[in-house]
Amino acid sequence: MNIEKNKTYNAECVSSGSEGEGIVKIDGFTVFVPGMLPGEKGDILIVKLKKNYGYGKLMELSQSSPERTEPPCPYYRTCGGCSLQHMSYSAQLEFKKNKVRDCMERIGSIQGAVYPDTVGMDEPWRYRNKAQYPIGKDKDGKTLIGFYAPRSHRITDINDCMLQMPGSSKIIEIVRKYIHDFHIPVYDESKHSGLLRHVITRTAYHTKEMMVTFVVNGRKLPHSNELIEALKNTGFVSSIVMNINREKTNAILGGESVTLWGKDTIRDMIGGINFDISSLSFYQVNPVQTEKLYNIAVESAGLTGKENVIDVYCGIGTISLFAAGRARSVYGIEIVERAIEDAKHNAEINGIKNAVFEAGKAEDILPRLY
């Protein structure tokens, strides 16, 4: 059978791809179908063909999986932020476990390993402490603030994201009004013109402090006083930052940040350890699962208090400082100098003396330590 574009075929989904899309075999030819689950059958419209595989659109199901659920988010089918909401949560956890197994066996050629169940959340909503919203315009000039659609840089306009901590939706509302009231030019990626590129919200899980960062294609934010006042009036914003990114790039953040109001950092906590987080810091986006992850990592290492621990790619020192209380010493390595400065600062504010941090390439530092 020759598979044809724009033709519909009835077929069964046999497995899931790396992003949760269904994998369908039509006469031996592989077709990726977003939103389809293993065991399901349905009519599939072929929308794109490559030499060895294609992409399809699920038109109608004739047989549903018992793991299928209705996505609670109204933007799920157009926003590229999530790809698993059509699965039950238990199916999502099993999917992630199988993804690890596939990487180990198919890519790593590691056979016979035992894979424990994925450690899930008690409440898998409103947990993300960071959101990066691109800003643009549609063809009619309407301001768009949201997330990119799947496999594109086309912005899906949203008012609220069910994964973000409370407060982010209020920031979107304020930014929309600011752009409208003061005619702020928003960034056009194709022309590398306009000013406002992204707005980023970052919320500390334990202290509830929020940092709002505006990424701009310039060095000044017009009517910043009015914007700052509106954000201050929320009662939960404690830091407002302008990040300068004038490069024609897909990278969201530039290398320079200026605090417009409030503190330069917000403070959060993991396992009783305080961390000051700047606009450029890497910090795990799921604070609840991060603490579970670090506990598992430290327990699996079997630390007795006599070991020297090396944390390669340590970032701002989160897992280094988490392990320091159970080891003789910890040595953190990270190529980003600003991250190492943050790691040293975080060790200092917690009174941790047995953690040392060094900026540089791991391939240079590790042989020297050895």
Side-chain angles (χ1 to χ4, degrees), residues 158-170:
I158 72 167
N159 292 318
D160 181 41
C161 173
M162 295 178 65
L163 299 188
Q164 306 303 326
M165 289 186 185
S168 287
S169 56
K170 180 62 178 178

Side-chain angles (χ1 to χ4, degrees), residues 29 32 37 80 96 135 151 169 181-182 184 186 251 272 283 313-314 345 354-355 358 364 367:
F29 187 77
F32 296 99
L37 298 175
K96 293 174 182 180
I135 303 174
R151 297 180 299 278
S169 56
D181 289 353
F182 299 106
I184 304 300
V186 301
Y283 191 70
Y313 323 114
C314 66
H345 169 76
N354 63 330
E358 182 174 353
D364 295 335

Side-chain angles (χ1 to χ4, degrees), residues 174 178 182 222-231:
I174 290 171
Y178 163 69
F182 299 106
H223 299 278
S224 59
N225 289 338
E226 291 89 339
L227 176 61
I228 289 168
E229 198 61 32
L231 293 171

Side-chain angles (χ1 to χ4, degrees), residues 50-301:
K50 298 285 189 178
K51 183 178 179 180
N52 298 316
Y53 61 92
Y55 293 95
K57 180 180 180 181
L58 179 62
M59 304 304 291
E60 185 176 359
L61 280 174
S62 56
Q63 179 176 304
S64 295
S65 166
E67 299 295 350
R68 174 169 290 279
T69 186
E70 183 62 27
C73 176
Y75 308 106
Y76 176 66
R77 289 178 174 84
T78 55
C79 172
C82 299
S83 61
L84 304 180
Q85 281 191 23
H86 61 289
M87 299 181 188
S88 67
Y89 189 54
S90 60
Q92 292 180 33
L93 298 179
E94 186 66 19
F95 164 79
K96 293 174 182 180
K97 175 181 175 179
N98 290 333
K99 188 172 181 179
V100 173
R101 179 189 287 112
D102 180 65
C103 289
M104 293 295 190
E105 295 179 353
R106 184 175 56 84
I107 301 173
S109 299
I110 297 172
Q111 305 299 324
V114 176
Y115 299 92
D117 291 337
T118 307
V119 178
M121 299 191 71
D122 296 329
E123 180 55 53
W125 304 106
R126 302 292 179 190
Y127 64 84
R128 281 186 66 98
N129 56 26
K130 183 181 181 182
Q132 300 178 144
Y133 301 102
I135 303 174
K137 297 272 190 184
D138 66 11
K139 61 182 187 316
D140 299 320
K142 176 190 172 185
T143 298
L144 305 175
I145 304 176
F147 298 110
Y148 291 124
R151 297 180 299 278
S152 79
H153 270 212
R154 186 177 69 255
I155 299 172
T156 295
D157 195 40
I158 72 167
N159 292 318
D160 181 41
C161 173
M162 295 178 65
L163 299 188
Q164 306 303 326
M165 289 186 185
S168 287
S169 56
K170 180 62 178 178
I171 302 304
I172 294 177
E173 178 187 325
I174 290 171
V175 174
R176 282 190 203 281
K177 188 174 187 306
Y178 163 69
I179 292 170
H180 176 269
D181 289 353
F182 299 106
H183 307 287
I184 304 300
V186 301
Y187 188 65
D188 185 323
E189 189 177 45
S190 62
K191 298 177 182 177
H192 188 49
S193 63
L195 178 67
L196 202 50
R197 300 175 68 138
H198 280 77
V199 58
I200 302 171
T201 61
R202 200 165 207 172
T203 307
Y205 180 75
H206 287 279
T207 65
K208 308 305 179 188
E209 295 178 336
M210 177 184 279
M211 173 182 288
V212 181
T213 300
F214 295 94
V215 184
V216 297
N217 179 36
R219 301 196 66 85
K220 186 178 179 181
L221 202 55
H223 299 278
S224 59
N225 289 338
E226 291 89 339
L227 176 61
I228 289 168
E229 198 61 32
L231 293 171
K232 285 167 59 178
N233 287 339
T234 63
F236 53 79
V237 174
S238 57
S239 174
I240 304 173
V241 175
M242 179 178 68
N243 176 266
I244 298 162
N245 184 357
R246 308 189 72 173
E247 301 298 319
K248 191 173 185 179
T249 175
N250 288 335
I252 294 175
L253 289 167
E256 181 183 356
S257 290
V258 178
T259 301
L260 300 178
W261 174 84
K263 304 189 298 179
D264 295 333
T265 60
I266 55 175
R267 179 166 290 188
D268 205 358
M269 182 185 296
I270 302 175
I273 301 171
N274 292 309
F275 294 94
D276 283 347
I277 310 157
S278 72
S279 62
L280 298 176
S281 297
F282 170 79
Y283 191 70
Q284 296 282 357
V285 297
N286 187 331
V288 176
Q289 295 302 89
T290 295
E291 189 161 341
K292 293 180 183 179
L293 173 69
Y294 287 4
N295 274 317
I296 291 171
V298 170
E299 288 168 9
S300 299

